[in-house]
Amino acid sequence: MREVLIITNPKTVKVLSDPTRFRILKLLRERSMSINELSDILGKDRTTVYRHIKVLESEGLVEEIDIHGNEKIYARTARMFLIKAEPDESIEEFRQAYLQVEAERLVQILEKSGFQIKDREALKALTKEVLNTIELRSQPIIKRISEADVELSEVELFHLLNMLVFLQSCELCEHAKKVKELISFF
């Protein structure tokens, strides 16, 4: 299993935009499973789960790793998936919804960490805007790394993402000032 798989193909992102497939990948992050196990957890029939697994497998996101009796066991092909496909009408709704969820999650993390948020909705909207800007401006670099088929560890991915943010930091200074106004850091 790879540490990180960078997804730049809009077709693959569209495959991930299906809620059931997304849940299957989340479950397989915990451990490898059979169709029966996934079916029980998801509350869906085996045929439906099998079809979803085959679609995920065709896009290189899951793979068969073992057989127990007559049950095939499936696992993710990477511990982490970095979704960085170029904007495409077919996935834009999913991408925007994903950014909204991530912005909400980041605000929740700050709140749980004891930071005082002055205007939660404004911070969430600003966070989504910043994430969107960074993602769009990072596309050419990430695509090039993906095409070079460079293996990244989670730590290397973290450092790469920090570098991409740093490269755009001057352009995002006004956003940073607004975020500082919305969060009490001390």
Side-chain angles (χ1 to χ4, degrees), residues 23-70:
R23 276 196 69 205
I24 288 171
L25 284 176
K26 283 178 74 174
L27 290 168
L28 292 177
R29 184 174 170 96
E30 297 169 20
R31 64 181 174 86
S32 47
M33 294 185 203
S34 68
I35 299 289
N36 272 336
E37 291 174 294
L38 289 165
S39 177
D40 289 344
I41 293 169
L42 295 168
K44 297 193 180 281
D45 64 83
R46 289 177 35 83
T47 308
T48 300
V49 173
Y50 179 79
R51 279 195 326 268
H52 284 297
I53 284 287
K54 286 302 171 189
V55 171
L56 290 167
E57 191 174 36
S58 72
E59 290 300 316
L61 301 171
V62 300
E63 62 188 349
E64 179 186 323
I65 60 162
D66 202 1
I67 297 177
H68 292 156
N70 60 356

Side-chain angles (χ1 to χ4, degrees), residues 115-164:
F115 292 99
Q116 298 298 312
I117 310 296
K118 295 173 185 164
D119 184 338
R120 190 177 201 289
E121 290 307 309
L123 179 60
K124 198 164 65 170
L126 188 56
T127 301
K128 181 182 174 196
E129 184 181 335
V130 168
L131 292 174
N132 187 53
T133 301
I134 291 169
E135 185 174 292
L136 291 176
R137 291 182 183 164
S138 301
Q139 289 301 331
I141 296 169
I142 291 174
K143 185 173 183 179
R144 201 162 163 183
I145 290 168
S146 173
E147 289 169 349
D149 200 29
V150 174
E151 290 267 341
L152 293 172
S153 69
E154 287 185 51
V155 171
E156 291 166 333
L157 175 62
F158 179 75
H159 290 303
L160 172 65
L161 295 175
N162 280 336
M163 182 58 80
L164 292 172

Side-chain angles (χ1 to χ4, degrees), residues 91-103 128:
I91 63 166
E92 189 57 24
E93 185 178 326
F94 168 74
R95 198 176 78 74
Q96 290 302 316
Y98 181 78
L99 288 173
Q100 187 68 34
V101 168
E102 290 304 307
K128 181 182 174 196

Side-chain angles (χ1 to χ4, degrees), residues 5-9 12-13 16 61 81-85 142 146:
L5 178 64
I6 300 173
I7 300 169
T8 59
N9 182 345
T12 305
V13 177
L16 287 173
L61 301 171
F81 297 113
L82 176 62
I83 303 169
K84 294 295 176 186
I142 291 174
S146 173

